[in-house]
């Protein structure tokens, strides 16, 4: 059990007051900020009840109700709350004057200082560090904000909504003021304020209905040239949402601010998005192709929140996936439509398997809709976001696009301007699609188990072939892989499948049929109608139709057939991943399957012939080795160093076996990599993969070419060169790293990638290297990006972090204790590095356990304490 008091979904109580409007006045002084809030409050019930407001590190100056100042007997204050005894039973005005100190706030929550500018982060519970307020998502208000500050120190003053007034103070020309008004009710977590020396880049967007929206991106002076990609991404997102969801932007202007010190990737504050600078400032010279696509996706994600998150928000934080899962699904769909559906699906599945599946198996496993939490900040996870998106995807698959969008339209129409629950969303989808749940062809209650139950379902598949009637009989059985329950719970699992004739090859004889596994055991008969003598090859979970793991009786020959012939991007890739996992597993078990290795490499050679020119990005994807988390999941006792070693050895084998083919591809690609993104990204991706194989195979020409490519005009090529040299720990690696640093040491966004590279690459100097990085003059302890770069990079330095003497684990523990003192949110997320300690071989397990105990015995925040206790439980 957790030693801290948890908040439970079952104890949710509706707040007894409405706050339809709030006026907040910020007077920014040199050492503090005076905050005056004026709230119109309407009691929901006639009975008298105390008014409870949240407040954290706020100095209270005065309180008045309807102009009458309260005396000390009429209210109570504590470190966390302000309680007003027996407020009026009818509508009243509550005015509170208080004082806060953002200049010493290192938590990056509430109002704080970043590179000389004041900025905010209020999700999930940061608003209570700005002013006294209920600070819960089911309280929606219309906000008017006045900001006053010194003109020279804070020339730009921003908040949510539309600008209503700006100018100098009448009695003081050194100070100026601005008033912002947001006409749409929003919860407090969407409040935003920015004040500082910023330059802006402007553009416009003409909506479908003919309204002209002003776009402004605010950056620190000198960063203006890096905003074009962000502007273009935003305009693409605005058009996509109009075209696909018929949703327009609703304010007069859309503002984005780039902030260096930011815990999140970005924040969807209504009309004033605040972004981690890494996800705004980019072009092809400073960001890789993958990073440019990621920025495009995140810009879209925050924009899409305008409707799925802002106009309709979540009733409480247990419903977090209502806005995040749905919006991730929307941004994934956006990226798929702009680029390649199949490749995007593979990217998302790979991420899910390596991170969310691991989370589901570990001690911090939780449901998409959790039942309780201590610190809500710990639930911004891959389960809430990515698994939540998979649930939306399954609903669209089972409903069909037309019915799905009818349901979405009803949801928006019904709940616009309100706080909703996941059940509200599901009910709207079903009602919009079928008018009544009784008409729905699947059991909605079983589908809701996906929201309520933690864990990853596992499906067992067995086949029998009726050659006389050309019928393939398939039995499916589901079991839930979870450490939270031993119950045999029935989930609703959609399975998209095809069948291939062994004789006809790549043309399916049954294509993309949908089977729904809604019982623990269920059978399927597939009538091939083809007169086949041999059983066809079954391709299941096409497009990764459900977020499950599965085990089938397909043979190695079947997987090789699908790897060569399947026309579904995901299924073809997944077959290759299965074969690679089998090869690496056999090597780790000292049972090398030479026959399989030869067949697999022959298959790769055939795919080179068919895909090198037509689909280089997909070919690069097929050459990519399974992630370490996936490989670790194959073993009950994990030896991370051995897994990493054999993974590299397998790559060396491939490089040596098809050396000439890889060299030929290398030569063919060199003149095709200079196209402007998104053109040429497939060629650049493939070249990077080829380089990684050739450098491991000892090709000196390619190794030297990698060093020479560090100053290439494409960051994708420069970083690919670094990655290809990383495992070598050679003079070339050292030279390339130094060159990269010398080119980019004045750009903190790019330099984070160098910090991560240095921390993660093998070296003979050990932890001394990590210590030097943390004390480097360019390292910023207050920037979460920098912390994640070095400590996150260190955790990927397999031999060093997992060293058998346990020193890597103890070093990480010490540093996370330090981080926790200044930024609990970053520390609590990074401490999950230790989540899998029980799965490791004894020596690693013991070392990791001792390090977790060290953190547990330290004076740590409630955020980090919650995670550590779960890990130890």
């Amino acid at each position: 059990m957790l030693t801290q008091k948890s908040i439970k979904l079952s104890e949710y109580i509706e707040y007894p007051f409405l706050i339809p409007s709030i006026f907040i006045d910020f007077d920014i002084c040199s050492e503090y900020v005076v905050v005056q809030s004026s709230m119109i409050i309407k009691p929901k019930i006639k009975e008298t009840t105390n008014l409870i407001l949240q407040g954290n590190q706020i100095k209270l100056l005065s309180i008045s109700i309807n102009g009458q100042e309260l005396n000390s007997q009429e209210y109570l204050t504590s470190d966390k709350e302000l309680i007003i005894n027996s407020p009026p039973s009818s509508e009243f005005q509550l005015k509170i004057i208080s004082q806060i100190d953002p200049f010493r706030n290192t938590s990056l929550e509430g109002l704080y200082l970043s590179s000389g500018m004041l900025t905010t982060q209020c999700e999930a519970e940061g608003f209570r560090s700005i002013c006294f307020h209920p600070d819960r998502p089911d309280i929606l208000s219309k906000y008017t904000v006045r900001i006053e500050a010194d003109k020279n120190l804070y020339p730009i003053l921003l908040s949510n909504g539309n600008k209503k007034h700006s100018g100098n103070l009448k009695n003081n020309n050194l100070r100026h003021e601005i008033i912002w008004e947001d006409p749409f009710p929003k919860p407090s977590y969407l409040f935003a304020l920015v004040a500082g020396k910023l330059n802006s880049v402007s553009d416009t967007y003409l909506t479908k209905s003919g309204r002209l929206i002003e776009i402004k991106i605010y950056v620190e002076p000198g960063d203006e040239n890096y905003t074009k990609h962000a502007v273009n991404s935003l305009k693409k997102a605005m058009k996509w949402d109009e075209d696909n969801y018929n949703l327009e932007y609703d304010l007069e202007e859309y503002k984005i601010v780039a902030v260096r010190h930011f815990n999140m990737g970005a924040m969807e504050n209504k009309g004033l998005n605040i972004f981690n600078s890494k996800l705004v400032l980019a072009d092809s010279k400073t960001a890789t192709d993958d990073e440019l696509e990621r920025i495009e996706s995140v810009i879209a994600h925050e924009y899409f929140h305008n409707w799925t998150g802002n106009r309709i928000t979540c009733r409480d934080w247990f419903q977090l996936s209502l806005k995040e899962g749905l919006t991730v699904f929307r941004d994934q769909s956006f990226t798929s439509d702009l680029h390649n559906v199949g490749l995007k699906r593979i990217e998302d599945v790979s991420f899910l398997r390596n991170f969310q599946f691991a989370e589901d198996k570990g001690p911090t496993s939780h449901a998409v809709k959790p039942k309780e939490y201590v610190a809500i900040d710990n639930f911004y996870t891959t389960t809430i976001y990515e698994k939540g998106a998979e649930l939306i995807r399954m609903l669209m698959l089972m409903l069909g696009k037309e019915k799905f969008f009818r349901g979405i339209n009803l949801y928006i129409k019904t709940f616009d301007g309100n706080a909703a629950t996941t059940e509200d969303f599901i009910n709207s989808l079903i009602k919009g699609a079928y008018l009544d749940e009784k008409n729905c062809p699947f059991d909605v209650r079983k589908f809701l188990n996906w929201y309520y139950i933690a864990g990853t379902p596992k499906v067992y598949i067995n086949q029998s072939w009726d050659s006389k009637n050309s019928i393939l009989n398939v039995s499916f059985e589901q079991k839930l892989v979870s450490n939270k329950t031993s119950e045999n719970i029935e989930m609703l699992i959609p399975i998209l499948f095809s069948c291939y004739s062994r004789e006809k090859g790549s043309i399916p004889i049954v294509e993309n049929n949908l089977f729904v596994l809604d019982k623990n055991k269920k059978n399927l008969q597939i009538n091939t109608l083809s007169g086949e003598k041999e059983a066809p090859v079954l391709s299941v979970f096409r497009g990764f139709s459900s977020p499950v793991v599965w085990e089938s009786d397909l043979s190695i020959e079947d997987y090789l057939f699908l790897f060569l012939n399947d026309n579904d991007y995901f299924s073809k890739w997944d077959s290759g991943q299965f074969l690679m996992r089998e090869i690496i597993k056999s090597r780790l078990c000292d049972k090398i399957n030479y026959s399989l290795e030869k067949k697999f490499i022959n298959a790769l050679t055939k795919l080179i012939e068919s895909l090198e020119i037509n689909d280089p990005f997909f070919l690069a994807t097929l050459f990519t080795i399974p992630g370490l988390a996936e490989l670790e999941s194959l073993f009950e006792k994990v030896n991370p160093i051995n897994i990493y070693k054999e993974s590299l050895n397998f790559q060396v084998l491939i490089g040596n076996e098809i050396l000439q083919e890889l060299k030929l591809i290398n030569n063919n690609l060199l003149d095709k990599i200079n196209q402007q993104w998104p053109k040429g990204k497939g060629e650049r991706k493939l070249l990077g993969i080829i380089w990684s194989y050739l450098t491991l195979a000892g090709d000196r020409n390619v190794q030297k070419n990698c060093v020479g490519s560090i100053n290439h005009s494409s960051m994708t090529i420069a970083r690919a060169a670094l990655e290809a040299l990383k495992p070598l720990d050679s003079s070339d690696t050292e030279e390339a790293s130094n060159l990269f640093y010398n080119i980019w040491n004045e750009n903190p966004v790019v330099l984070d990638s160098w910090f991560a590279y240095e921390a993660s690459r093998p070296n003979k100097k050990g932890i001394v290297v990590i210590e030097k990085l943390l004390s480097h003059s360019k390292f910023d302890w207050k920037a979460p990006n920098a912390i994640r770069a070095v400590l996150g990079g260190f955790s990927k330095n397999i031999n060093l972090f997992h060293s058998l003497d346990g020193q890597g684990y103890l070093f990480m523990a010490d540093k996370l204790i330090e981080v926790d003192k200044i930024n609990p949110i970053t520390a609590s997320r990074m401490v999950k590095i230790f989540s899998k300690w029980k799965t490791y071989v004894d020596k690693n397990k013991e070392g990791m356990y001792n390090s977790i105990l060290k953190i547990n015995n330290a004076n740590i925040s409630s955020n980090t304490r919650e995670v550590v206790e779960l890990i130890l439980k």
Side-chain angles (χ1 to χ4, degrees):
M1 290 291 293
L2 297 175
T3 60
Q4 304 171 92
K5 180 173 170 37
S6 64
I7 297 168
K8 295 180 171 62
L9 173 60
S10 60
E11 296 174 357
Y12 171 83
I13 299 174
E14 187 177 336
Y15 196 65
F17 299 90
L18 295 171
I19 306 178
S21 66
I22 177 170
F23 178 88
I24 314 180
D25 184 291
F26 292 87
D27 186 357
I28 300 174
C29 305
S30 59
E31 295 184 355
Y32 56 86
V33 175
V34 176
V35 182
Q36 299 186 50
S37 66
S38 179
M39 293 179 275
I40 300 298
I41 298 181
K42 292 183 178 181
K44 290 183 181 178
I45 54 177
K46 292 183 179 180
E47 292 81 9
T48 301
T49 182
N50 290 343
L51 175 63
I52 301 175
L53 305 176
Q54 305 300 317
N56 180 38
Q57 295 185 320
I58 299 175
K59 181 179 180 181
L60 179 64
L61 301 180
S62 72
I63 313 176
S64 63
I65 291 180
N66 294 332
Q68 184 70 41
E69 188 164 345
L70 303 188
N71 62 51
S72 59
Q73 271 68 51
E74 294 176 286
Y75 63 88
L76 297 170
T77 59
S78 68
D79 291 341
K80 301 294 182 183
E81 289 182 335
L82 167 62
I83 302 173
I84 298 175
N85 303 319
S86 304
S89 58
S90 58
E91 179 180 315
F92 62 94
Q93 182 190 52
L94 175 65
K95 185 175 181 179
I96 301 175
I97 303 176
S98 56
Q99 182 177 303
I100 58 175
D101 181 3
F103 304 103
R104 293 173 182 82
N105 178 7
T106 64
S107 69
L108 309 191
E109 289 186 284
L111 183 65
Y112 64 92
L113 196 66
S114 172
S115 302
M117 80 173 89
L118 287 170
T119 188
T120 55
Q121 173 55 35
C122 291
E123 188 174 0
E125 296 176 340
F127 192 68
R128 64 189 60 188
S129 297
I130 294 173
C131 70
F132 290 103
H133 189 273
D135 198 18
R136 41 190 285 172
D138 56 352
I139 302 298
L140 281 72
S141 311
K142 292 183 179 180
Y143 282 68
T144 302
V145 177
R146 176 186 176 273
I147 311 169
E148 173 191 328
D150 183 289
K151 282 196 303 184
N152 292 322
L153 292 176
Y154 307 102
I156 298 296
L157 304 173
L158 305 172
S159 192
N160 312 81
N162 301 317
K163 182 166 66 174
K164 291 300 176 183
H165 164 78
S166 65
N168 294 335
L169 296 188
K170 292 180 180 179
N171 58 349
N172 187 347
N173 285 332
L174 296 178
R175 294 178 70 78
H176 66 145
E177 66 176 356
I178 194 166
I179 296 176
W180 294 93
E181 184 181 275
D182 188 349
F184 298 98
K186 65 173 179 284
S188 55
Y189 79 85
L190 291 173
F191 171 80
L193 180 151
V194 174
K197 294 178 180 177
L198 297 164
N199 290 348
S200 66
V201 175
S202 299
D203 207 321
T204 57
Y205 177 78
L206 187 66
T207 69
K208 206 172 185 178
S209 66
R211 294 171 52 246
L212 194 65
I213 309 300
E214 187 171 11
I215 295 170
K216 285 192 173 182
I217 298 190
Y218 292 87
V219 297
E220 293 180 39
D223 288 335
E224 297 87 346
N225 292 335
Y226 299 118
T227 60
K228 185 177 180 181
H229 178 65
V231 171
N232 290 340
S233 299
L234 175 59
K235 293 168 81 170
K236 290 176 190 175
M238 296 173 99
K239 185 176 189 311
W240 186 89
D241 218 16
E242 290 176 350
D243 292 344
N244 289 271
Y245 285 80
N246 200 31
L247 298 174
E248 277 193 14
Y249 186 60
D250 49 10
L251 292 170
E252 296 166 7
E253 58 182 78
Y254 193 95
K255 306 180 289 291
I256 292 176
V257 181
V259 175
R260 170 68 175 156
H261 302 92
F262 202 67
N263 277 326
M264 309 286 189
M267 182 61 212
E268 69 267 19
N269 315 301
K270 180 76 177 175
L272 178 57
N273 288 184
I274 298 177
F275 268 67
N276 191 313
S277 54
K278 181 177 178 61
L279 292 170
V280 175
L281 308 176
D283 58 21
S284 60
K285 293 180 181 178
T286 61
T288 66
D289 292 340
D290 289 345
E291 288 170 340
L292 290 172
E293 187 174 301
R294 168 79 174 140
I295 289 167
E296 184 180 68
S297 173
V298 175
I299 293 270
H301 180 96
E302 305 310 327
Y303 174 74
F304 296 153
H305 264 314
N306 186 58
W307 283 93
T308 52
N310 297 3
R311 289 282 289 258
I312 305 176
T313 193
C314 44
R315 186 196 72 178
D316 52 70
W317 291 119
F318 299 100
Q319 324 292 331
L320 182 57
S321 193
L322 172 68
K323 74 182 185 79
E324 295 302 346
L326 177 55
T327 306
V328 168
F329 169 75
R330 275 156 48 74
D331 81 56
Q332 289 175 347
S333 303
F334 165 77
T335 302
S336 295
D337 288 351
L338 260 60
H339 299 282
N340 182 297
V341 174
L343 292 173
K344 176 58 178 168
R345 193 70 190 121
I346 291 170
E347 176 192 320
D348 293 337
V349 173
S350 180
F351 181 87
L352 195 79
R353 284 177 168 176
N354 279 284
F355 296 95
Q356 197 281 319
F357 281 13
E359 184 171 79
D360 257 349
K361 288 177 66 177
T364 59
S365 170
H366 58 87
V368 174
K369 184 173 181 173
K371 294 178 181 178
E372 65 178 314
Y373 61 80
V374 172
I376 186 57
D377 296 311
N378 289 331
F379 282 82
Y380 285 76
T381 62
T382 54
T383 297
I384 298 294
Y385 282 67
E386 281 74 21
K387 185 175 181 179
E390 293 299 317
L391 308 194
I392 309 297
R393 187 178 302 279
M394 285 192 289
L395 282 167
M396 187 170 76
L397 176 63
M398 290 187 293
L399 294 173
K401 274 193 173 183
E402 183 182 342
K403 288 186 176 69
F404 175 79
F405 278 106
R406 285 212 306 261
I408 289 286
N409 291 338
L410 180 62
Y411 169 66
I412 291 170
K413 182 179 178 181
T414 305
F415 293 99
D416 184 16
N418 291 284
T421 65
T422 51
E423 290 79 8
D424 291 331
F425 173 72
I426 300 296
N427 291 337
S428 292
L429 281 189
I430 302 305
K431 187 176 180 181
Y434 299 107
L435 298 180
D436 192 309
E437 184 181 329
K438 294 176 183 176
N439 301 322
C440 182
F442 58 84
D443 189 332
V444 177
R445 290 167 298 175
K446 285 185 180 179
F447 183 81
L448 283 168
N449 284 337
W450 282 104
Y451 282 96
Y452 304 151
I453 309 298
T456 305
K458 185 170 185 177
V459 177
Y460 297 87
I461 305 167
N462 289 285
Q463 310 166 77
S464 64
W465 172 239
D466 179 352
S467 58
K468 182 178 179 180
N469 297 301
S470 297
I471 292 174
L472 183 65
N473 296 294
V474 189
S475 67
F476 295 89
E477 182 180 0
Q478 61 165 298
K479 291 184 180 179
L480 188 64
V481 181
S482 173
N483 60 8
K484 299 291 183 180
T485 180
S486 57
E487 295 180 57
N488 201 7
I489 296 166
E490 290 182 340
M491 309 291 280
L492 197 148
I493 301 173
I495 302 170
L496 205 60
F497 69 90
S498 291
C499 283
Y500 288 88
S501 166
R502 295 180 191 275
E503 297 175 2
K504 296 173 184 176
S506 59
I507 301 173
I509 52 178
V510 175
E511 185 168 21
N512 288 340
N513 285 11
L514 181 62
F515 170 76
V516 178
L517 177 60
D518 54 4
K519 298 177 181 177
N520 287 329
K521 293 182 180 181
K522 194 172 180 179
N523 297 324
L524 168 68
Q525 283 192 337
I526 305 173
N527 193 336
T528 63
L529 300 173
S530 59
E532 297 288 318
K533 294 180 181 178
E534 286 187 275
V537 182
L538 181 64
S539 171
V540 290
F541 291 104
R542 294 165 69 76
F544 198 66
S545 56
S546 299
V548 302
V549 294
W550 62 91
E551 185 179 301
S552 78
D553 59 357
L554 265 66
S555 67
I556 291 296
E557 294 302 322
D558 290 337
Y559 281 107
L560 285 164
F561 177 93
L562 293 172
F563 187 47
L564 285 169
N565 296 290
D566 207 319
N567 64 4
D568 179 79
Y569 268 75
F570 164 75
S571 295
K572 190 183 195 76
W573 168 81
D574 187 54
S575 298
Q577 294 288 291
F578 173 84
L579 294 167
M580 288 195 208
R581 289 194 297 269
E582 287 296 300
I583 290 169
I584 295 171
K585 183 179 179 180
S586 67
R587 286 172 157 262
L588 284 159
C589 296
D590 294 324
K591 298 176 182 177
I592 298 178
N593 190 334
Y594 294 106
S595 173
L596 174 56
E597 291 183 351
K598 184 177 180 180
K599 289 177 180 179
F600 179 75
I601 291 171
N602 286 339
L604 279 179
T605 307
K606 290 178 182 178
L607 290 169
I608 289 172
E609 295 171 6
S610 62
L611 293 173
E612 179 190 351
I613 296 173
N614 297 327
D615 204 339
F617 203 114
F618 189 32
L619 181 59
T621 304
L622 295 177
F623 263 86
T624 303
I625 301 292
L628 289 177
E630 288 182 79
L631 295 173
E632 288 179 353
S633 70
L634 301 174
F635 300 91
E636 287 187 12
K637 289 291 184 180
V638 174
N639 186 323
I641 293 175
N642 281 357
I643 290 175
Y644 173 68
K645 176 184 173 183
E646 287 305 330
S647 178
L648 281 181
N649 286 341
F650 180 48
Q651 292 176 73
V652 172
L653 173 70
I654 294 173
N656 284 321
E657 289 294 320
I658 54 174
L659 189 66
Q660 296 310 313
E661 290 89 341
L662 296 178
K663 284 183 176 182
L664 185 60
I665 297 174
N666 176 68
N667 295 334
N668 291 341
L669 289 173
L670 290 175
D671 62 349
K672 299 177 182 178
I673 58 175
N674 296 317
Q675 302 172 79
Q676 190 65 32
W677 185 91
K679 294 179 180 178
K681 65 178 184 177
E683 287 80 3
R684 289 187 288 270
K685 179 81 169 181
L686 181 55
L687 184 63
I689 292 290
I690 298 304
W691 279 354
S692 68
Y693 280 104
L694 289 175
T695 54
L696 283 170
D699 189 313
R700 286 296 298 146
N701 289 332
V702 170
Q703 290 170 4
K704 287 296 181 185
N705 185 49
C706 284
V707 176
S709 297
I710 297 302
N711 61 359
H712 196 279
S713 59
S714 164
M715 179 59 73
T716 304
I717 295 301
R719 293 266 292 279
L722 281 176
E723 287 302 315
L725 292 169
K726 183 196 285 187
L728 306 184
D729 190 23
S730 65
S731 59
D732 288 334
T733 314
E734 193 75 26
E735 183 182 355
S737 179
N738 290 337
L739 281 169
F740 190 88
Y741 174 82
N742 291 335
I743 295 169
W744 296 109
N745 66 79
E746 295 301 323
N747 186 316
V749 172
V750 178
L751 198 59
D752 283 335
S753 64
W754 177 81
F755 275 112
Y757 181 77
E758 282 294 287
S760 62
R761 72 182 177 94
N763 68 78
K764 298 181 179 67
K765 299 175 184 175
I767 287 173
V768 173
V769 171
I770 314 300
E771 285 278 22
K772 285 183 177 179
L773 291 173
L774 292 171
S775 60
H776 195 286
S777 60
K778 297 286 184 179
F779 180 79
D780 183 357
W781 269 104
K782 294 180 180 179
N785 288 356
I787 294 169
R788 287 188 287 260
V790 174
L791 295 184
F794 170 52
S795 72
K796 296 170 187 172
N797 193 327
I798 303 300
N799 291 330
L800 188 55
F801 179 61
H802 293 287
S803 61
L804 293 179
D805 60 7
Q807 291 305 303
Y809 302 145
L810 287 170
F811 178 82
M812 180 68 81
D814 286 335
K815 297 308 168 188
L816 290 179
I817 292 168
E818 289 181 39
V819 172
D820 187 68
K821 291 175 183 176
I822 58 173
N823 191 329
I825 290 177
T826 296
S828 65
R829 291 176 182 174
M830 293 203 70
V831 81
K832 292 179 182 179
I833 289 167
F834 295 117
S835 289
K836 296 188 288 185
W837 68 276
K838 289 183 180 179
T839 67
Y840 290 115
V841 292
D842 290 344
K843 199 70 177 173
N844 292 102
K845 179 179 176 180
E846 181 185 351
M848 199 170 266
Y849 176 67
N850 290 334
S851 299
I852 304 165
L853 284 180
K854 186 171 190 177
I855 298 173
N856 190 53
N857 292 332
N859 182 20
I860 52 177
S861 67
S862 60
N863 294 63
T864 304
R865 174 74 60 198
E866 178 182 19
V867 178
V868 169
E869 288 184 355
L870 285 169
I871 290 171
L872 285 171
K873 189 171 64 171

